[in-house]
Amino acid sequence: MQLRRRLLTPRTAWALLAALLVTGCTAQPVTGPPRAAAFNATDTAWIQLMIPMNERARLLTGLASSRTADPALADLATRTGTRLERELADLRALLDLSGTSDTRPHEGHDMPGMVGLDALRKAEKAKGEQFERILSDGLRAHLAQTGKLCAGERTSGGAEEAKALAATIAGSAGNAIRELDRLTTKRSWPAGENRLTAASRP
């Protein structure tokens, strides 16, 4: 990774690799207006990963209204999609403030917790319970990973604006995953199987 010399400490390197889970991806150098100096490599790596994470999840939630017969799950998907759009606007504004070019280093990747391209293809063809399983699995993975990434940013980020947004996003993700848990535990999945096992069956 290309990091400024002042950032190459064991603590920062570990935080960038372990907390943000961006193995193999290159953090972008910080340039631009004076405020950009507050953004370190953890900040920019977090922003550049959260943008595609939210974009993929937004594609999945956008399918819900026409593919699920569960009003409560459809409502959660709609509200989650609206929140993801707001977060994307805030993340892109932070990227501009950081002075980092939007090189989209994760374009086409399936990162941990990200809604996969294969899952999206399956979701586009599914309806009813089959779609609901894909939706709930995808959202749960996205929300759980979002919490981990935001925790890493809050610990090792440099810009207060980025750390504050991470706290807000983490809080919203925690609320959403608790609501998703309440909705999916009421479903009658196959006896003797948990939800994730059932969803992964052919």
PDB file of all heavy atoms in Angstrom, residues 160-175:
ATOM      1  N   GLU A 160     -12.434  14.306  11.926  1.00  0.00           N
ATOM      2  CA  GLU A 160     -13.586  14.252  12.821  1.00  0.00           C
ATOM      3  C   GLU A 160     -14.893  14.107  12.040  1.00  0.00           C
ATOM      4  O   GLU A 160     -15.831  13.451  12.504  1.00  0.00           O
ATOM      5  CB  GLU A 160     -13.640  15.507  13.693  1.00  0.00           C
ATOM      6  CG  GLU A 160     -12.523  15.590  14.729  1.00  0.00           C
ATOM      7  CD  GLU A 160     -12.480  14.372  15.636  1.00  0.00           C
ATOM      8  OE1 GLU A 160     -13.569  13.892  16.052  1.00  0.00           O
ATOM      9  OE2 GLU A 160     -11.371  13.893  15.935  1.00  0.00           O
ATOM     10  N   GLU A 161     -14.955  14.713  10.849  1.00  0.00           N
ATOM     11  CA  GLU A 161     -16.169  14.592  10.040  1.00  0.00           C
ATOM     12  C   GLU A 161     -16.439  13.131   9.655  1.00  0.00           C
ATOM     13  O   GLU A 161     -17.584  12.677   9.676  1.00  0.00           O
ATOM     14  CB  GLU A 161     -16.054  15.431   8.751  1.00  0.00           C
ATOM     15  CG  GLU A 161     -15.906  16.920   8.993  1.00  0.00           C
ATOM     16  CD  GLU A 161     -14.459  17.365   9.023  1.00  0.00           C
ATOM     17  OE1 GLU A 161     -13.590  16.546   9.403  1.00  0.00           O
ATOM     18  OE2 GLU A 161     -14.204  18.534   8.678  1.00  0.00           O
ATOM     19  N   ALA A 162     -15.378  12.420   9.291  1.00  0.00           N
ATOM     20  CA  ALA A 162     -15.516  11.021   8.903  1.00  0.00           C
ATOM     21  C   ALA A 162     -15.892  10.153  10.099  1.00  0.00           C
ATOM     22  O   ALA A 162     -16.758   9.274  10.003  1.00  0.00           O
ATOM     23  CB  ALA A 162     -14.229  10.514   8.259  1.00  0.00           C
ATOM     24  N   LYS A 163     -15.261  10.400  11.235  1.00  0.00           N
ATOM     25  CA  LYS A 163     -15.563   9.602  12.426  1.00  0.00           C
ATOM     26  C   LYS A 163     -16.988   9.854  12.916  1.00  0.00           C
ATOM     27  O   LYS A 163     -17.672   8.922  13.377  1.00  0.00           O
ATOM     28  CB  LYS A 163     -14.539   9.889  13.525  1.00  0.00           C
ATOM     29  CG  LYS A 163     -13.147   9.361  13.180  1.00  0.00           C
ATOM     30  CD  LYS A 163     -12.216   9.366  14.375  1.00  0.00           C
ATOM     31  CE  LYS A 163     -11.725  10.750  14.710  1.00  0.00           C
ATOM     32  NZ  LYS A 163     -10.705  10.719  15.793  1.00  0.00           N
ATOM     33  N   ALA A 164     -17.456  11.090  12.788  1.00  0.00           N
ATOM     34  CA  ALA A 164     -18.831  11.396  13.190  1.00  0.00           C
ATOM     35  C   ALA A 164     -19.833  10.696  12.277  1.00  0.00           C
ATOM     36  O   ALA A 164     -20.844  10.151  12.740  1.00  0.00           O
ATOM     37  CB  ALA A 164     -19.060  12.905  13.167  1.00  0.00           C
ATOM     38  N   LEU A 165     -19.552  10.694  10.973  1.00  0.00           N
ATOM     39  CA  LEU A 165     -20.450   9.997  10.045  1.00  0.00           C
ATOM     40  C   LEU A 165     -20.430   8.498  10.310  1.00  0.00           C
ATOM     41  O   LEU A 165     -21.475   7.836  10.251  1.00  0.00           O
ATOM     42  CB  LEU A 165     -20.052  10.286   8.604  1.00  0.00           C
ATOM     43  CG  LEU A 165     -20.929   9.624   7.529  1.00  0.00           C
ATOM     44  CD1 LEU A 165     -22.396  10.038   7.684  1.00  0.00           C
ATOM     45  CD2 LEU A 165     -20.425   9.968   6.131  1.00  0.00           C
ATOM     46  N   ALA A 166     -19.263   7.951  10.625  1.00  0.00           N
ATOM     47  CA  ALA A 166     -19.163   6.524  10.939  1.00  0.00           C
ATOM     48  C   ALA A 166     -20.032   6.175  12.144  1.00  0.00           C
ATOM     49  O   ALA A 166     -20.694   5.131  12.172  1.00  0.00           O
ATOM     50  CB  ALA A 166     -17.711   6.134  11.199  1.00  0.00           C
ATOM     51  N   ALA A 167     -20.039   7.047  13.147  1.00  0.00           N
ATOM     52  CA  ALA A 167     -20.866   6.801  14.332  1.00  0.00           C
ATOM     53  C   ALA A 167     -22.346   6.809  13.975  1.00  0.00           C
ATOM     54  O   ALA A 167     -23.120   5.964  14.440  1.00  0.00           O
ATOM     55  CB  ALA A 167     -20.580   7.852  15.396  1.00  0.00           C
ATOM     56  N   THR A 168     -22.744   7.748  13.131  1.00  0.00           N
ATOM     57  CA  THR A 168     -24.149   7.832  12.712  1.00  0.00           C
ATOM     58  C   THR A 168     -24.556   6.606  11.911  1.00  0.00           C
ATOM     59  O   THR A 168     -25.619   6.013  12.139  1.00  0.00           O
ATOM     60  CB  THR A 168     -24.377   9.104  11.875  1.00  0.00           C
ATOM     61  OG1 THR A 168     -24.081  10.254  12.671  1.00  0.00           O
ATOM     62  CG2 THR A 168     -25.812   9.186  11.384  1.00  0.00           C
ATOM     63  N   ILE A 169     -23.718   6.221  10.954  1.00  0.00           N
ATOM     64  CA  ILE A 169     -24.020   5.062  10.111  1.00  0.00           C
ATOM     65  C   ILE A 169     -24.079   3.786  10.954  1.00  0.00           C
ATOM     66  O   ILE A 169     -24.964   2.942  10.757  1.00  0.00           O
ATOM     67  CB  ILE A 169     -22.976   4.931   8.985  1.00  0.00           C
ATOM     68  CG1 ILE A 169     -23.117   6.096   7.993  1.00  0.00           C
ATOM     69  CG2 ILE A 169     -23.121   3.591   8.257  1.00  0.00           C
ATOM     70  CD1 ILE A 169     -22.053   6.111   6.903  1.00  0.00           C
ATOM     71  N   ALA A 170     -23.146   3.645  11.889  1.00  0.00           N
ATOM     72  CA  ALA A 170     -23.133   2.452  12.740  1.00  0.00           C
ATOM     73  C   ALA A 170     -24.401   2.361  13.580  1.00  0.00           C
ATOM     74  O   ALA A 170     -24.975   1.273  13.743  1.00  0.00           O
ATOM     75  CB  ALA A 170     -21.906   2.469  13.649  1.00  0.00           C
ATOM     76  N   GLY A 171     -24.859   3.483  14.107  1.00  0.00           N
ATOM     77  CA  GLY A 171     -26.085   3.480  14.894  1.00  0.00           C
ATOM     78  C   GLY A 171     -27.290   3.072  14.072  1.00  0.00           C
ATOM     79  O   GLY A 171     -28.116   2.267  14.519  1.00  0.00           O
ATOM     80  N   SER A 172     -27.376   3.607  12.855  1.00  0.00           N
ATOM     81  CA  SER A 172     -28.492   3.257  11.975  1.00  0.00           C
ATOM     82  C   SER A 172     -28.441   1.785  11.576  1.00  0.00           C
ATOM     83  O   SER A 172     -29.475   1.111  11.524  1.00  0.00           O
ATOM     84  CB  SER A 172     -28.452   4.137  10.717  1.00  0.00           C
ATOM     85  OG  SER A 172     -28.632   5.496  11.041  1.00  0.00           O
ATOM     86  N   ALA A 173     -27.241   1.283  11.308  1.00  0.00           N
ATOM     87  CA  ALA A 173     -27.092  -0.124  10.930  1.00  0.00           C
ATOM     88  C   ALA A 173     -27.496  -1.037  12.086  1.00  0.00           C
ATOM     89  O   ALA A 173     -28.155  -2.071  11.878  1.00  0.00           O
ATOM     90  CB  ALA A 173     -25.657  -0.413  10.511  1.00  0.00           C
ATOM     91  N   GLY A 174     -27.115  -0.671  13.300  1.00  0.00           N
ATOM     92  CA  GLY A 174     -27.504  -1.471  14.458  1.00  0.00           C
ATOM     93  C   GLY A 174     -29.008  -1.520  14.642  1.00  0.00           C
ATOM     94  O   GLY A 174     -29.573  -2.592  14.922  1.00  0.00           O
ATOM     95  N   ASN A 175     -29.676  -0.389  14.477  1.00  0.00           N
ATOM     96  CA  ASN A 175     -31.140  -0.363  14.591  1.00  0.00           C
ATOM     97  C   ASN A 175     -31.788  -1.219  13.514  1.00  0.00           C
ATOM     98  O   ASN A 175     -32.748  -1.947  13.773  1.00  0.00           O
ATOM     99  CB  ASN A 175     -31.645   1.077  14.479  1.00  0.00           C
ATOM    100  CG  ASN A 175     -31.266   1.928  15.677  1.00  0.00           C
ATOM    101  OD1 ASN A 175     -31.046   1.403  16.778  1.00  0.00           O
ATOM    102  ND2 ASN A 175     -31.197   3.228  15.487  1.00  0.00           N
TER     103      ASN A 175
END
